[in-house]
Amino acid sequence: MSENNHHDPAALNKLAEPFEVLPNDNPASDAKRQELTDKPAFGQVFSDNMTHMSWTKGEGWSDRRVEPYAPLKLDPGASVLHYAQECFEGLKAYHHDDGSVWLFRPDANANRFRNSAKRLYLPELPVDDFLGSVAALVKRDAAWVPTRREYTLYMRPFLFASEPFLGVRAPEEVDYCVIASPSGPYFPGGVKPVNIWVEDTWFRTGPGGTGFAKCGGNYAASLVGEYRGIENDCEQVCFVDAATKTYLEELGGMNMFAVHKDGHLETPSLTGNILPGVTRNSIIQLAQDEGRDVVETMIKLQDLLDDIKSGEVTEVFACGTAAIITPIGHFKSEKFDVTVGDGGSGEYTVATRNKLLGIQLGEIEDPHDWMWKVC
Ligand SMILES: *Cc1c(COP(=O)(O)O)cnc(C)c1O
């Protein structure tokens, strides 16, 4: 794909072609769809259709189709329900002012999806099928892409072992689906800093684990920590490394950056415990474009807290597709409560969020050809 001009929708259309579009006799009414895309509740509303593919050990990938959104028929013995052989992706379709619809770096999600599948011993979906399946659903449900600024159609591709078998082994039957959910801005009242609980008892992953794979199991493992945070008035939890409890890793579903007073950025290096975020990678690129140094390194929690207190670190933020960039106002644990800067949204944090969002919405130049036009 790399030699194609991403701004030419013909490239994606070609990849979407193998997906047979089945009729849908029961779509939402125009009025209902309008209501659902105008005031979406995150993750609770889904569009009319979904993409589906199947894989078997003997036949490989087959059965590319876009079909009406409906509950899956799954055997209660399906391996995924017992052993969690599942991975997923998350990306957004953006409405631009001229009525066109775009994806942000879907090739990066496609490649990461392969890496996640490999770690879980699931078959790797070809990059072209990932791109084609997402594009096919966006085209089919283009009317579900919200048109209000900062509202998007959140796309959720996922892959799981569906064969009824209670032995633990490499899967022989797998299903792949894409579903789409209209979503509003993460912070409806505007961006505001969150409190972070620093968790040092429960970990989402460990050395040699599945930290770098985007899999449901990591999220299941993060919930105990997440709720310890909530009990302590924190919106999110930050994990430290399980082996030494010394180094910062990431939040339950977002990567982190610290802004230093000389303007350089630091972010935890991709040790294998950390999910390689597309947003993280894009922020590194944008900072380097501005001539800033970005240091990917092991960041000691204690050093970060000391640097915040001394003013060496002026801003800390979290990043991911859903919220784009979230300022961090406080770090809390049983032992400390540290305020970052004045506890508000930092200047660089807000500027970077606006820049990335501007590119995604087609409002400012896209210097790295990150946007792919679907229709
Ligand atoms: C998805 C995810 C992120 C953010 O990745 P993006 O590609 O930027 O959306 C960060 N951490 C975890 C654990 C994730 O699952």
Side-chain angles (χ1 to χ4, degrees):
M1 282 303 300
S2 55
E3 68 278 8
N4 286 318
N5 175 2
H6 305 162
H7 299 277
D8 176 2
L12 271 181
N13 273 326
K14 192 143 185 60
L15 299 179
E17 254 167 34
F19 290 82
E20 184 193 355
V21 178
L22 304 186
N24 188 332
D25 297 332
N26 205 8
S29 68
D30 286 353
K32 185 73 191 164
R33 192 186 63 241
Q34 198 65 46
E35 179 195 322
L36 294 175
T37 53
D38 221 39
K39 289 200 179 57
F42 181 80
Q44 292 175 44
V45 173
F46 300 97
S47 68
D48 284 326
N49 298 285
M50 60 191 280
T51 326
H52 208 144
M53 276 175 75
S54 315
W55 179 92
T56 63
K57 192 179 171 192
E59 313 270 306
W61 293 103
S62 66
D63 238 356
R64 292 164 181 81
R65 59 199 188 273
V66 180
E67 60 192 22
Y69 185 95
L72 298 167
K73 278 209 183 68
L74 198 61
D75 193 290
S79 294
V80 63
L81 299 177
H82 305 278
Y83 309 123
Q85 294 129 297
E86 185 266 359
C87 61
F88 68 95
E89 270 303 327
L91 67 168
K92 289 169 166 177
Y94 303 85
H95 172 267
H96 285 188
D97 269 350
D98 65 357
S100 55
V101 179
W102 301 70
L103 297 167
F104 178 75
R105 305 186 70 183
D107 49 334
N109 296 94
N111 286 315
R112 185 170 68 191
F113 198 51
R114 291 180 61 113
N115 289 335
S116 298
K118 200 175 190 167
R119 176 64 184 83
L120 296 168
Y121 236 82
L122 285 159
E124 294 169 51
L125 183 75
V127 167
D128 283 358
D129 277 324
F130 183 97
L131 296 170
S133 64
V134 172
L137 184 58
V138 171
K139 282 176 61 180
R140 174 70 161 144
D141 282 339
W144 283 88
V145 181
T147 54
R148 291 174 66 180
R149 192 172 187 277
E150 285 196 46
Y151 285 58
T152 58
L153 188 62
Y154 182 82
M155 310 300 295
R156 168 53 60 85
F158 59 105
L159 181 65
F160 57 95
S162 49
E163 86 223 58
F165 182 61
L166 293 185
V168 180
R169 66 160 187 222
E172 300 193 349
E173 287 171 32
V174 164
D175 279 64
Y176 165 71
C177 305
V178 188
I179 56 176
S181 177
S183 64
Y186 204 77
F187 300 103
V191 181
K192 64 176 204 304
V194 293
N195 297 327
I196 298 293
W197 177 253
V198 182
E199 179 58 44
D200 62 4
T201 304
W202 303 105
F203 304 93
R204 61 183 283 281
T205 188
T210 53
F212 66 89
K214 205 168 179 71
C215 63
N218 290 344
Y219 280 75
S222 74
L223 278 173
V224 174
E226 207 65 69
Y227 277 84
R228 285 235 300 166
I230 289 168
E231 282 160 21
N232 287 281
D233 290 329
C234 290
E235 288 92 347
Q236 300 266 341
V237 63
C238 164
F239 293 98
V240 295
D241 77 293
T244 70
K245 306 188 183 186
T246 305
Y247 299 99
L248 276 182
E249 292 195 326
E250 61 170 323
L251 310 193
M254 286 192 263
N255 299 119
M256 292 174 72
F257 281 85
V259 185
H260 286 250
K261 70 168 185 246
D262 68 359
H264 88 273
L265 305 186
E266 297 198 0
T267 188
S269 41
L270 300 176
T271 53
N273 298 347
I274 293 172
L275 201 284
V278 178
T279 317
R280 174 187 181 278
N281 180 273
S282 307
I283 289 167
I284 292 174
Q285 183 66 60
L286 292 177
Q288 288 171 342
D289 291 352
E290 289 176 358
R292 286 173 194 266
D293 277 337
V294 183
V295 184
E296 297 181 62
T297 182
M298 311 266 287
I299 299 176
K300 284 199 170 106
L301 170 65
Q302 193 54 52
D303 289 352
L304 179 72
L305 298 176
D306 292 345
D307 286 348
I308 291 169
K309 287 187 224 162
S310 74
E312 166 59 30
V313 164
T314 53
E315 304 176 33
V316 185
F317 61 85
C319 65
T321 297
I324 318 175
I325 286 178
T326 307
I328 294 175
H330 293 264
F331 284 99
K332 295 186 188 179
S333 78
E334 268 146 9
K335 295 169 220 109
F336 55 79
D337 181 347
V338 173
T339 306
V340 183
D342 60 6
S345 304
E347 206 177 309
Y348 178 80
T349 302
V350 172
T352 304
R353 182 180 186 278
N354 290 341
K355 190 173 207 173
L356 198 49
L357 183 64
I359 292 172
Q360 292 168 336
L361 298 182
E363 294 169 350
I364 61 177
E365 200 207 331
D366 169 19
H368 298 287
D369 208 14
W370 281 338
M371 300 305 293
W372 295 46
K373 187 173 179 178
V374 183
C375 53

